[in-house]
Amino acid sequence: MARPLDPATREALVERVRFYRDLGLTEFYRRPVDPALIDQSLPLLSAESVGEQPASQPAQSQEDQPIPARRTFPAPPQIAAAVPPAERAAALQIIRDEIGDCTRCALHTGRNKLVFGDGSPAARLLFVGEGPGADEDAQGIPFVGKAGQLLNNMIAAMGLKREEVYIANVVKCRPPGNRTPEPDEANTCSPFLFRQIDAVRPEVLVALGATAATYLLGQRQPLAGLRGRVHSFRGTKLIVTYHPAYLLRDPRQKKEAWADLQIAMRELGLKAAAKD
Ligand code: SF4
């Protein structure tokens, strides 16, 4: 008997189903459906299956197979040995202390909370966004608004938990009206991002949108010309994809974003694990 869901959880699950549907992933749910959970226009989903990695084969051909356990996401031994997770957390704290109550650029004047970063200090995958929005400015945490919910769904589609990755922005204070950070603002703040990346030492970076791509690559190019291949940021693999806020405005691009995330999964060796 399925447990009743509170409205917020139900809405989050329905939104995740929509996300998978938009990706074209509609045949990977194998458990009975709670009809109260979703409306008939959406693909089938049970609460238990949310967040599982999409299967590579249609559900009908795998009915007699056990449902795989959620994959863990440990750091490779050589990475863990080089920089122990406890030291990475301490390194991040040093960077946060150095930023302090920052007034280095004009963005500090409109800030409520400085948004440093969120996630695992030992993450193998690090997302870089542009800057905080209103929700992030209020909470001091990156990607917690609608775009954050979409990013959470993207992370879940990769078979990961949000707390297994690290998320940071090019600028740590909200630009007025959510405008794009000015070059002097981004150039003033981005060295802190670079140090965060050095501290976490991820194997793969994902730049969310043109601003993140511009300041990680050190050059401004149309996003279309940067997507679909692996770049390098100081020796770390870098994938460029759309910002979730853009995907909210143009959901047709979600399949393209999913293709980019699959490149990141391949680089992390996650594709083979998804077939367990
Ligand atoms: Fe300081 Fe960055 Fe905020 Fe500018 S955006 S005030 S550099 S923390």
Side-chain angles (χ1 to χ4, degrees):
M1 179 77 102
R3 285 183 285 112
L5 297 170
D6 63 77
T9 302
R10 183 181 189 281
E11 178 57 32
L13 292 171
V14 168
E15 180 56 37
R16 185 163 297 172
V17 173
R18 289 197 183 100
F19 174 72
Y20 283 129
R21 181 192 58 190
D22 290 342
L23 297 182
L25 303 174
T26 58
E27 298 186 89
F28 55 92
Y29 302 113
R30 286 162 294 202
R31 295 187 182 181
V33 177
D34 175 0
L37 185 62
I38 55 177
D39 66 50
Q40 296 305 309
S41 66
L42 298 172
L44 303 182
L45 174 73
S46 69
E48 294 87 346
S49 68
V50 169
E52 285 182 357
Q53 180 62 28
S56 58
Q57 298 296 322
Q60 290 85 344
S61 66
Q62 299 189 356
E63 285 180 346
D64 56 347
Q65 296 182 15
I67 294 175
R70 188 180 190 89
R71 289 173 297 127
T72 57
F73 198 48
Q78 65 274 23
I79 296 290
V83 185
E87 292 187 18
R88 296 179 199 181
L92 287 172
Q93 188 57 52
I94 290 170
I95 299 165
R96 180 64 189 89
D97 292 345
E98 185 179 344
I99 294 175
D101 192 15
C102 185
T103 59
R104 292 174 178 85
C105 86
L107 293 181
H108 81 277
T109 57
R111 148 184 104 212
N112 284 306
K113 289 188 176 176
L114 190 148
V115 181
F116 178 66
D118 185 40
S120 169
R124 296 178 62 201
L125 176 61
L126 193 153
F127 290 93
V128 177
E130 178 177 292
D135 293 310
E136 292 76 15
D137 178 62
Q139 298 185 41
I141 303 170
F143 284 93
V144 289
K146 284 190 175 298
Q149 180 61 52
L150 179 54
L151 178 60
N152 290 346
N153 289 339
M154 293 161 72
I155 293 168
M158 298 175 80
L160 303 173
K161 300 175 185 175
R162 175 168 167 135
E163 54 268 31
E164 290 176 301
V165 306
Y166 194 83
I167 305 169
N169 285 311
V170 171
V171 294
K172 310 209 178 301
C173 302
R174 183 192 183 199
N178 294 341
R179 65 162 170 75
T180 302
E182 297 291 345
D184 66 311
E185 298 161 349
N187 283 322
T188 301
C189 201
S190 55
F192 294 117
L193 167 68
F194 301 160
R195 283 187 228 172
Q196 286 172 284
I197 294 169
D198 288 343
V200 175
R201 292 186 59 178
E203 293 169 62
V204 173
L205 290 161
V206 173
L208 299 168
T211 299
T214 294
Y215 289 96
L216 289 173
L217 290 170
Q219 56 180 302
R220 195 183 298 278
Q221 283 188 40
L223 207 63
L226 298 173
R227 292 185 44 253
R229 56 197 168 98
V230 180
H231 305 267
S232 176
F233 172 81
R234 304 210 285 209
T236 300
K237 293 169 181 170
L238 169 63
I239 315 296
V240 175
T241 192
Y242 295 112
H243 193 286
Y246 173 75
L247 297 176
L248 290 174
R249 295 194 298 272
D250 188 357
R252 295 170 300 176
Q253 304 304 325
K254 287 182 181 176
K255 285 184 182 176
E256 299 297 319
W258 178 237
D260 297 329
L261 296 182
Q262 286 180 307
I263 297 173
M265 292 169 67
R266 185 188 68 213
E267 295 298 327
L268 290 165
L270 294 179
K271 189 173 181 180
K275 296 176 181 175
D276 288 346

